[in-house]
Amino acid sequence: MLTLPASVRIHLCTRPVDMRKSFDGLSLLTREVLKENPLSGHLFVFFNRTRDMVRILWWHSGGFCLFSKRLEKGSFRLPHPLPEDTGAVTLEAVELTLLLEGIDLKASVRRPRWQPPPLESPV
C-alpha cells in the first residue's frame, strides 16, 4: 500500500507515452501535456499504448525518482475511461495502488464522501 502525505497529488497522463523516455522526457511531458510543475513533489503516472508498462515520475530531495513496472502478461486496467483531450486525470493513492496490483476498478462503486463547502470570499 502506498503511504503518501495528503498534500501529494497523483496525476495520470491520459495519452500513451513512449516508454523510452526517461527523466527529462517525462518531465517535459509533465510541463507541456499535464500543465504541471514536475518539481512540485506530486506523482506523475504514464502508461504506454498497450498499457503493459507504467512509469511514475516524482521529484524528491533535490532529484527525480523514476519508478517503472512492466507486466509479463496482461495489461493495467484503468479506473475509468480516460478522455484524451484533458491531458490528465487525478487519482487517489488507493486507486493507484489497486491499479498497480492489477485489480479492475471498473466494476467497483465509490460511495459519496463528505467534502467541506467552498469558502465564500468576502465581498
Side-chain angles (χ1 to χ4, degrees), residues 18-58:
D18 180 359
M19 286 296 131
R20 293 176 289 184
K21 293 186 184 301
S22 190
F23 301 102
D24 297 329
L26 293 176
S27 64
L28 183 66
L29 281 174
T30 300
R31 285 188 194 280
E32 292 182 353
V33 175
L34 305 181
K35 308 292 188 216
E36 294 286 339
N37 180 3
L39 307 177
S40 64
H42 301 305
L43 298 178
F44 302 98
V45 182
F46 303 92
F47 287 96
N48 63 349
R49 184 182 49 79
T50 57
R51 283 197 217 117
D52 64 348
M53 188 168 181
V54 62
R55 287 212 167 165
I56 302 172
L57 183 69
W58 177 45

Side-chain angles (χ1 to χ4, degrees), residues 57-97:
L57 183 69
W58 177 45
W59 177 264
H60 178 68
S61 297
F64 280 115
C65 301
L66 187 62
F67 304 99
S68 298
K69 182 172 183 175
R70 184 187 72 198
L71 297 176
E72 293 301 319
K73 183 178 179 182
S75 62
F76 292 103
R77 300 291 177 145
L78 301 181
H80 38 73
L82 299 179
E84 287 194 25
D85 57 340
T86 60
V89 294
T90 303
L91 296 178
E92 292 185 20
V94 75
E95 289 177 310
L96 179 61
T97 301

Side-chain angles (χ1 to χ4, degrees), residues 3-18:
T3 305
L4 299 171
S7 61
V8 174
R9 293 183 313 210
I10 302 168
H11 300 282
L12 177 92
C13 183
T14 59
R15 299 178 187 168
V17 173
D18 180 359

